[in-house]
């Protein structure tokens, strides 16, 4: 028979052993913590309306000239006095791409990202590697006329039946136009009989437009025909909707035409508009070489740097900033980034909002796109904190 007191002591020792065993790591698993529940994502407020009319983006430049957009959406600009090519980012920062160039004029960006620049003083075209920024000669041209060398170049022709492949090169001093292979080695003459061809563009139907400082804009389809008569055209670009824009030095203006050659609008009072470009949403960018400025006219919508915040789940919420031009009310769609980013939530923008998205990724940046589902589209590289 066991004494009652001994029984109590044994029971106490057993309980103590059980409690001590439960405190040893690994014997009893702790209760899992509940994962944070994501709150429903709300659309971010719309940005203020875009400024109406011309807007100065950069000032106090020596002599900005031609313009082009690179494959990251940055605005490239050459400066004929400084001998440089630089890039203007969406955040307003300026990055030097190349220097030591002699009168850099035309700029065209190839599909592979390489940047071609016409050096007027050397009458040649150089290629700039966007990563290493190394400069090499792409093609040299002959000039025995005693006139200034090559002026504008481009664009690259991509899968256009009328002129497959290559880059359009207006040979300014010699009054002819070439189609040059992407490697710069082979040239085919596609136009002649011009005074001084200085800029070119192509529409979706394969018509090639050439700005001729002699006072004409020509089309090559393939025969040469006069499209418009203007005072000293300097460059030409074609919009997504098919309208043609020409900057003219004789009247310090930018003229807009429809596809049939009827003038739609004219912006005057520009101090020597040597360069002109359109972004993916058909907003107009131009240089004023005479007063060292780069300007813009917002015709549809633009994107400002977004607001990015981290969450307790290790994800990122991106708030785009969309500014619409007055009168532009078309629905816009926000496209999620491609893999390896995973989009957890997405809210589409409205006429009074900029949309929002939540992403999960190990990358340091993602690319978003905003467009109308048709012709207009702007992409934006978003840096993650």
């Amino acid at each position: 028979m066991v004494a009652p007191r001994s029984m109590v002591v044994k029971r106490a020792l057993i309980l103590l052993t059980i409690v001590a065993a439960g405190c040893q790591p690994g014997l009893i698993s702790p209760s899992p913590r509940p994962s944070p529940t994501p709150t429903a994502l709300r659309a971010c407020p719309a940005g203020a309306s875009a400024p109406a009319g011309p807007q100065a983006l950069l000032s106090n430049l020596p002599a900005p000239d031609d313009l082009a957009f690179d494959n990251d959406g940055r605005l490239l600009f050459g400066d004929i006095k400084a001998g440089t090519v630089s890039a203007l980012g969406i955040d307003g920062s300026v990055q030097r791409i190349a220097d030591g160039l002699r009168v850099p004029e035309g700029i065209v960006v190839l599909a592979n990202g390489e940047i071609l620049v016409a050096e007027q003083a050397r009458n040649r075209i150089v290629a700039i590697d966007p990563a290493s920024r190394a400069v090499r000669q792409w093609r040299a041209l002959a000039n025995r006329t005693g006139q200034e060398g090559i002026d504008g170049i481009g664009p690259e022709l991509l899968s256009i039946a009328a002129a497959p492949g290559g880059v359009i090169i207006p040979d300014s001093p010699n009054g002819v136009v070439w189609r040059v292979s992407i490697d710069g080695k082979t040239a085919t003459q596609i136009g002649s009989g011009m005074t001084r061809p200085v800029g070119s563009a192509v529409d979706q139907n394969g018509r090639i437009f050439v700005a001729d400082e002699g006072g004409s804009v020509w089309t090559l389809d393939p025969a040469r025909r006069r499209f418009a008569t203007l005072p000293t055209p300097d460059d030409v670009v074609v919009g997504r909707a098919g309208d043609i824009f020409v900057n003219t030095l004789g009247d310090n203006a930018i003229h807009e035409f429809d596809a049939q050659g009827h003038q739609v609008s004219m912006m005057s009072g520009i101090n020597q508009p040597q360069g002109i470009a359109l972004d993916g949403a058909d907003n107009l960018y131009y240089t004023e070489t005479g007063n060292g400025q780069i300007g813009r006219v917002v015709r549809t919508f633009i994107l400002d740097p977004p607001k990015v915040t981290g969450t307790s789940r290790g994800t990122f919420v991106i708030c785009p900033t969309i500014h619409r031009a007055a009168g532009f009310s078309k629905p816009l769609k926000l496209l999620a980034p491609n893999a390896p980013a995973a989009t957890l939530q997405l809210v589409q923008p409205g006429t009074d909002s900029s949309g929002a998205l939540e992403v999960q990724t190990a990358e340091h940046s993602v690319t978003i796109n905003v467009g109308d589902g048709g012709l207009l589209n702007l992409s934006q590289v978003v840096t993650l904190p």
Side-chain angles (χ1 to χ4, degrees):
M1 185 173 184
V2 180
R5 182 172 179 177
S6 299
M7 183 68 72
V8 171
V9 172
K10 280 187 176 182
R11 285 177 181 173
L13 290 172
I14 292 170
L15 287 173
L16 197 59
T17 302
I18 293 172
V19 171
C23 293
Q24 292 181 29
L27 294 179
I28 297 178
S29 300
S31 301
R33 293 184 180 180
S35 299
T37 302
T39 56
L41 200 60
R42 295 183 179 181
C44 304
S49 296
Q55 169 194 12
L57 296 181
L58 282 179
S59 302
N60 301 316
L61 300 172
D65 199 274
D66 280 348
L67 302 171
F69 282 93
D70 70 6
N71 293 346
D72 292 326
R74 300 181 304 173
L75 181 65
L76 303 179
F77 63 95
D79 194 298
I80 56 177
K81 283 187 179 179
T84 58
V85 173
S86 304
L88 173 62
I90 192 171
D91 59 355
S93 62
V94 176
Q95 184 180 40
R96 181 71 51 82
I97 302 298
D99 54 19
L101 304 175
R102 293 187 58 191
V103 193
E105 284 279 357
I107 304 173
V108 63
V109 179
L110 302 180
N112 63 9
E114 200 168 34
I115 304 165
L116 301 184
V117 179
E119 277 190 286
Q120 188 175 87
R122 294 187 172 107
N123 201 48
R124 68 172 186 169
I125 301 167
V126 296
I128 304 171
D129 183 286
S132 67
R133 300 181 190 173
V135 179
R136 64 178 176 85
Q137 180 169 290
W138 185 77
R139 187 173 182 87
L141 292 90
N143 180 9
R144 302 179 182 86
T145 66
Q147 301 179 33
E148 290 183 334
I150 187 172
D151 204 310
I153 58 172
E156 180 181 3
L157 299 170
L158 297 172
S159 302
I160 296 171
V167 181
I168 304 173
I169 305 296
D171 189 344
S172 306
N174 295 302
V176 300
V177 178
W178 305 93
R179 184 178 72 244
V180 181
S181 59
I182 294 298
D183 58 10
K185 295 179 179 179
T186 306
T188 303
Q189 185 174 304
I190 60 174
S192 61
M194 304 175 199
T195 304
R196 183 174 171 81
V198 290
S200 57
V202 63
D203 68 9
Q204 292 301 315
N205 297 317
R207 283 193 304 175
I208 296 173
F209 295 83
V210 180
D212 183 349
E213 284 188 345
S216 301
V217 176
W218 307 99
T219 60
L220 306 176
D221 54 355
R224 177 171 61 90
R225 295 185 177 88
R226 190 183 305 274
F227 179 78
T229 300
L230 293 168
T232 320
D234 187 71
D235 206 350
V236 55
V237 293
V238 178
R240 297 291 185 96
D243 280 7
I244 295 93
F245 297 80
V246 184
N247 53 326
T248 46
L249 301 178
D251 58 356
N252 288 320
I254 297 175
H255 302 258
E256 179 185 2
F257 296 88
D258 64 17
Q260 289 72 44
H262 305 120
Q263 182 153 309
V264 176
S265 68
M266 182 180 77
M267 186 172 72
S268 58
I270 308 171
N271 194 335
Q272 291 294 284
Q274 297 273 0
I276 186 173
L278 295 168
D279 65 15
D282 266 359
N283 298 305
L284 178 66
Y285 296 74
Y286 59 93
T287 58
E288 292 191 80
T289 306
N291 60 10
Q293 287 191 352
I294 296 176
R296 174 178 67 187
V297 175
V298 180
R299 306 173 68 244
T300 56
F301 72 95
I302 55 172
L303 302 177
D304 263 356
K307 180 181 178 182
V308 183
T309 55
T311 73
S312 60
R313 298 194 301 154
T315 64
F316 303 95
V317 173
I318 300 173
C319 273
T321 304
I322 301 174
H323 301 280
R324 291 172 175 265
F328 180 78
S329 59
K330 293 183 68 174
L332 295 175
K333 186 175 183 180
L334 174 62
L335 298 181
N338 294 325
T343 300
L344 306 181
Q345 298 186 77
L346 189 150
V347 181
Q348 292 297 343
T351 54
D352 59 351
S353 69
S354 290
L357 71 159
E358 182 183 8
V359 300
Q360 188 170 40
T361 181
E363 301 296 311
H364 298 295
S365 65
V366 296
T367 300
I368 62 173
N369 288 273
V370 177
D372 66 350
L375 297 172
L376 308 179
N377 180 76
L378 291 177
S379 61
Q380 185 177 44
V381 178
V382 179
T383 302
L384 303 176

